[in-house]
Amino acid sequence: MSSRHPAPRRLAAIDLGSNSFHLLVANQVGGDLQVVAKQGEKVQLAAGLDDDDILDEAAMERALACLERFAPYLSDLDASDVRIVGTNALRAAHNRQTLIDRAEALIGHSIEIIAGREEARLIYLGAAHALAEVHGRRLIVDIGGGSTELIIGERFEPLALESLHMGCVAYTQRFFANGDISEKAFRAAELAALSELANIRRPYQELGWQDPVGSSGTIKAIAAVQAAYGDGPEGMITRQGLKNLRNRLLKCKKLDKVAMDGLKSDRARVFPAGVAILCAIFEAFELERMRYSDGALRDGVLYDLLGRNTAEDSRASALLTLRRRFDVDMRQASNVRTTAEHLCAHVADVWPLSQEQRQFLAWAAELHEIGLAISHSQFHRHGAYLLENSDLAGFSRPEQQALAFLVRTHRRKFPGKELDALPSASRSTYARLARLLRLAVALNHSRPEAPVLDVRLQADGETLYVYLDQASDQPLLMADLDQEARYQRNAGFRLEIST
């Protein structure tokens, strides 16, 4: 008799890079990942940005064509098991939402834009898992199409994270736009990179490392070319080998003449710019060698996805640090969270919310007073600003925007403008979460010792009915709830208070 085993959890990550798009699909096997599918395509999204940072239609079409080929790998996966992240080119593009809307309609999953330091954190996570057997402090370098990430870390903990505005596609357009490869153009690219590195050079050297490691296609290609010409062992880049490679490129004279053993033709045009950036990194940090690692952003995204909504969720750690830094009243935060969860449970049948959405409600409850560290006046606005503009590990920009919206809207007039700024597909859900948070805040306005739980809540469509026990001897609470009902009515919502 054969035994039946449950199917393993399948996860997928897509990295929408400035140069290439990468897909990684893997099964969760214990705490590890077993790769099922891996694909990468040169899309060169950054090449489609004009001087005003507007993506042209040709770049969008290349991106959509690639995603159409990736889409079948995602068709049977739950939203919670897929994460698609956009990096520098999409961070820069003013019309990114146009592409995002079209792409989401095509693949049926949401796309998140991540900040530069969050990209660096995820790159380190991917590289650290690939290098788990090596001990000591590491310098991780990832040269992308539009940005370069540099991270110092030990084991699975990053100690310094930076994302700099230099990449092989961007520098090709900036320094090699006429197609010529000259000493003047090459040195100009190196000096620009050295200027970007100047601010982090000293603190990084003071922190120190034992093991310089490179990830990404650019560094992989440089290592492959060096190995092909016998300039170093396979998977290793040396200072002398890099100098030899620089000289070979100068002899090519033209971008369309770049052809070398070990170099794929689709990377040739942006290869000199990538080499110039790595030469600058070797010069700035006085490196003699660097080894290549397969671990990259897409791997980090999958490992981060494994930890979502668990004790290892990096987002929870980031918010705990934030609460401590701004001296949030933890008792009040806990009371509001407990009441919000109590109210949420009452309307769960009519307003079904995912685990992730309930988590955002809980986090917003814990952080709703964070702005008090700046000023009591308009503290809900200050709190929203802090959440939207801080570097929060684990959060994408849309997630920070959503969390900031909930904190912004927890008191006073319901902010319709901020609600309209959220993606259209999520507005209804976040309006509901905001209304639950506002009620929890109002119920705990007198800052009681314990959370207020002697309340029942019913939902009929978008109408909420609040039933209070022993309300007659709580005139202040009734006044607060009556005012809240007026705020919600002015925003187009109905809230009925009963005793």
Side-chain angles (χ1 to χ4, degrees):
M1 183 170 129
S2 63
S3 60
R4 299 183 62 185
H5 299 282
R9 181 187 180 193
R10 181 159 292 186
L11 304 170
I14 297 178
D15 159 19
L16 307 179
S18 301
N19 186 39
S20 304
F21 285 8
H22 291 277
L23 165 78
L24 183 62
V25 183
N27 289 335
Q28 179 182 357
V29 181
D32 293 322
L33 295 172
Q34 185 180 70
V35 175
V36 174
K38 195 173 186 177
Q39 286 196 17
E41 290 191 21
K42 295 287 183 298
V43 174
Q44 295 200 330
L45 204 59
L49 285 170
D50 65 16
D51 292 340
D52 297 317
D53 285 331
I54 301 296
L55 272 176
D56 63 30
E57 181 61 26
M60 290 195 191
E61 290 295 338
R62 291 196 301 272
L64 293 169
C66 175
L67 289 175
E68 188 172 19
R69 289 186 283 275
F70 287 176
Y73 293 94
L74 312 180
S75 59
D76 297 327
L77 299 183
D78 293 336
S80 60
D81 294 332
V82 176
R83 194 170 183 207
I84 306 170
V85 299
T87 59
N88 188 263
L90 285 173
R91 286 196 291 269
H94 295 306
N95 61 335
R96 58 181 170 268
Q97 198 59 47
T98 301
L99 174 58
I100 289 171
D101 289 343
R102 292 167 68 182
E104 288 180 341
L106 176 68
I107 59 179
H109 289 277
S110 61
I111 293 171
E112 310 169 44
I113 309 302
I114 55 174
R117 284 184 177 169
E118 173 63 5
E119 181 180 355
R121 186 188 72 85
L122 291 169
I123 287 168
Y124 181 79
L125 189 60
H129 276 88
L131 300 167
E133 79 288 351
V134 177
H135 300 289
R137 194 167 289 179
R138 310 183 185 99
L139 170 69
I140 305 290
V141 177
D142 187 298
I143 300 173
S147 65
T148 294
E149 283 65 47
L150 297 103
I151 313 100
I152 295 176
E154 197 163 355
R155 301 181 70 86
F156 297 107
E157 282 297 316
L159 304 174
L161 298 162
E162 282 297 341
S163 178
L164 303 180
H165 294 289
M166 55 187 193
C168 60
V169 176
Y171 268 36
T172 298
Q173 293 174 309
R174 183 175 169 186
F175 298 104
F176 304 97
N178 63 0
D180 293 336
I181 307 173
S182 65
E183 174 61 37
K184 181 179 178 181
F186 216 105
R187 190 55 185 164
E190 290 172 334
L191 289 172
L194 285 167
S195 178
E196 288 287 333
L197 291 160
N199 286 335
I200 70 168
R201 181 178 179 176
R202 179 174 292 177
Y204 267 50
Q205 286 179 322
E206 288 175 352
L207 194 54
W209 59 84
Q210 291 80 45
D211 188 21
V213 180
S215 67
S216 80
T218 292
I219 291 176
K220 181 180 181 180
I222 292 171
V225 172
Q226 284 203 12
Y229 285 90
D231 283 335
E234 188 172 349
M236 183 69 72
I237 298 168
T238 65
R239 177 185 282 269
Q240 185 59 49
L242 203 54
K243 182 179 178 181
N244 295 344
L245 177 54
R246 187 184 190 278
N247 291 333
R248 288 191 192 95
L249 286 170
L250 289 173
K251 289 178 182 177
C252 292
K253 295 185 179 181
K254 297 284 186 180
L255 291 182
D256 57 10
K257 298 294 185 183
V258 174
M260 295 182 178
D261 293 344
L263 180 65
K264 294 180 180 178
S265 59
D266 61 359
R267 182 168 290 276
R269 191 168 184 83
V270 298
F271 190 61
V275 172
I277 291 170
L278 190 60
C279 284
I281 291 170
F282 265 64
E283 182 178 341
F285 295 123
E286 301 173 1
L287 300 179
E288 292 297 327
R289 58 174 179 79
M290 175 181 288
R291 63 193 181 103
Y292 170 72
S293 166
D294 270 329
L297 174 60
R298 53 198 172 273
D299 304 86
V301 169
L302 283 192
Y303 278 107
D304 197 58
L305 200 55
L306 279 180
R308 284 281 172 107
N309 299 311
T310 72
E312 297 179 4
D313 196 329
S314 56
R315 297 173 300 173
S317 299
L319 297 183
L320 177 60
T321 300
L322 207 62
R323 292 198 301 275
R324 289 172 174 167
R325 181 186 304 165
F326 292 102
D327 198 25
V328 169
D329 182 339
M330 301 297 272
R331 186 185 70 183
Q332 179 68 1
S334 177
N335 285 350
V336 172
R337 172 176 177 160
T338 301
T339 301
E341 290 173 335
H342 173 75
L343 297 174
C344 187
H346 276 243
V347 297
D349 290 343
V350 182
W351 287 5
L353 297 168
S354 69
Q355 180 185 2
E356 184 84 348
Q357 290 158 353
R358 295 193 303 273
Q359 182 64 76
F360 269 69
L361 174 62
W363 282 335
E366 291 179 336
L367 292 161
H368 74 282
E369 290 188 333
I370 192 174
L372 285 172
I374 297 176
S375 170
H376 189 278
S377 174
Q378 303 290 310
F379 73 85
H380 53 306
R381 294 177 183 270
H382 301 317
Y385 179 85
L386 287 172
L387 286 168
E388 190 159 5
N389 293 282
S390 296
D391 282 324
L392 297 179
F395 284 91
S396 65
R397 287 186 171 182
E399 287 178 330
Q400 287 189 222
Q401 182 187 19
L403 193 56
F405 165 76
L406 291 176
V407 169
R408 164 67 181 84
T409 196
H410 85 265
R411 68 193 288 265
R412 307 291 189 190
K413 180 182 176 183
F414 198 100
K417 181 179 177 182
E418 284 82 352
L419 179 61
D420 290 341
L422 295 177
S424 56
S426 63
R427 284 175 201 157
S428 174
T429 295
Y430 277 92
R432 289 175 171 181
L433 293 174
R435 294 175 70 193
L436 293 172
L437 177 61
R438 292 173 69 94
L439 273 174
V441 171
L443 288 164
N444 289 278
H445 187 201
S446 63
R447 310 185 84 82
E449 292 288 331
V452 175
L453 299 176
D454 55 346
V455 56
R456 291 177 294 115
L457 188 65
Q458 287 185 350
D460 182 4
E462 297 306 310
T463 301
L464 288 175
Y465 297 91
V466 179
Y467 300 93
L468 291 166
D469 298 329
Q470 301 176 338
S472 58
D473 58 352
Q474 301 181 71
L476 180 58
L477 175 58
M478 288 304 299
D480 286 339
L481 290 175
D482 287 340
Q483 177 62 66
E484 177 58 25
R486 287 192 291 273
Y487 281 136
Q488 295 206 21
R489 183 169 61 248
N490 291 339
F493 303 119
R494 187 179 171 193
L495 175 64
E496 298 289 339
I497 313 297
S498 301
T499 58

